[in-house]
Amino acid sequence: QGKETIVFDNFGVDIINLDVSTNAFSLLGTIAIMNDDPVFGDLFFGSISLGIPEVLPSPLMASVGFGKMSTYKYWFTDVSVPLPTPIPVVPGFNITTLYGGVQNRVQSTQSDQQLLDRVAGVIAPGADIPFVPDDTQGLLFRAGVAFANPKEEVLNGEMMLTIAFNPSGGFQSINFMGQAFMMVKRIERNGNNVKKVWGDLSVNYDHSQKVFDAGINAGIIIPNTLTGGLNVTLHVDENDWYFWLN
């Protein structure tokens, strides 16, 4: 009768998340290394968000990922850099953070809100990899800014422009989106019982489908006193159009 033996094959770690918070700084990070993964193939991805409240007006964020599927390679990178000295545009409106990103052969898995959070250098603890490989996507460029009044609770927000191309290099789509808040600081937006006025805008043109979409949402919350909202939607394609106000 033969003897059964146990042989060590290998040891692997797919994703490591880092979450450190002290009075002086906060640090969030993710490192992912995958081999023969059914979704990502061979992948390296790293992301970090560093906040130093006494030095930086918002977190410094940088991410990079590159990988290979059986028939193509893909990559992703983005960075958000807070400005030590804000850039004044008009009185009461300063650019506080610059954002840029480039990706190829990947599809974003982020919501519009998560993308705008990245403009301000914010990523959630233990956040997922912000994309999946997709060989139907070509180059995509993102540029954004975070802005604020010198008194942040008066006005603060983010905006982003995205231009996408198909794998053959042809123009595919263009998108602009942004959000603004008043009566609340950026870090307090999602707090309980916080008074705030906010609005967001999204405008998208899909050249491949010849579809134009635009939307505006606005709201006000004054705890125990007033709550209200407004939604405007516009859609135009080759066969139909509609305008919705709610």
Side-chain angles (χ1 to χ4, degrees):
Q1 187 175 2
K3 296 177 60 179
E4 294 184 359
T5 59
I6 298 176
V7 178
F8 176 78
D9 184 11
N10 60 62
F11 173 80
V13 176
D14 287 342
I15 299 178
I16 299 174
N17 290 316
L18 179 66
D19 185 353
V20 178
S21 181
T22 70
N23 291 332
F25 72 94
S26 62
L27 178 64
L28 296 173
T30 298
I31 297 176
I33 301 174
M34 300 182 184
N35 293 296
D36 296 325
D37 184 82
V39 175
F40 292 97
D42 298 336
L43 167 71
F44 170 83
F45 174 78
S47 181
I48 187 172
S49 177
L50 173 64
I52 308 176
E54 299 300 321
V55 178
L56 301 174
S58 59
L60 170 67
M61 186 276 296
S63 300
V64 61
F66 48 88
K68 180 177 67 174
M69 304 299 287
S70 60
T71 57
Y72 65 96
K73 296 180 180 180
Y74 63 90
W75 50 271
F76 170 98
T77 183
D78 71 343
V79 61
S80 174
V81 181
L83 302 175
T85 302
I87 301 174
V89 180
V90 295
F93 186 96
N94 299 333
I95 293 175
T96 58
T97 302
L98 299 178
Y99 170 87
V102 187
Q103 63 190 52
N104 189 38
R105 298 298 179 92
V106 301
Q107 178 70 54
S108 173
T109 57
Q110 303 275 277
S111 67
D112 287 353
Q113 183 60 61
Q114 288 172 318
L115 289 171
L116 289 172
D117 286 344
R118 296 180 78 85
V119 172
V122 177
I123 56 175
D128 295 332
I129 297 169
F131 60 84
V132 291
D134 187 343
D135 64 352
T136 68
Q137 303 297 311
L139 277 171
L140 181 146
F141 299 89
R142 290 193 177 100
V145 298
F147 57 87
N149 183 273
K151 293 183 66 175
E152 191 179 67
E153 63 272 22
V154 172
L155 174 69
N156 62 85
E158 300 81 37
M159 61 180 73
M160 175 191 290
L161 176 68
T162 302
I163 301 176
F165 299 87
N166 60 41
S168 301
F171 173 62
Q172 180 168 300
S173 66
I174 184 169
N175 174 272
F176 174 82
M177 62 181 176
Q179 62 182 5
F181 288 78
M182 301 175 68
M183 300 171 61
V184 64
K185 292 184 177 181
R186 179 176 278 111
I187 196 172
E188 299 170 345
R189 290 175 183 173
N190 298 321
N192 295 323
N193 297 318
V194 172
K195 64 179 180 179
K196 57 186 176 182
V197 176
W198 78 93
D200 63 66
L201 167 70
S202 177
V203 180
N204 185 79
Y205 175 66
D206 187 329
H207 180 68
S208 60
Q209 302 295 323
K210 302 294 189 295
V211 175
F212 175 84
D213 287 294
I216 298 174
N217 295 288
I220 181 172
I221 295 177
I222 300 178
N224 303 317
T225 304
L226 177 65
T227 299
L230 172 70
N231 174 265
V232 180
T233 301
L234 174 64
H235 171 88
V236 181
D237 61 39
E238 293 182 308
N239 302 310
D240 195 12
W241 72 272
Y242 58 82
F243 175 80
W244 180 28
L245 174 63
N246 182 26

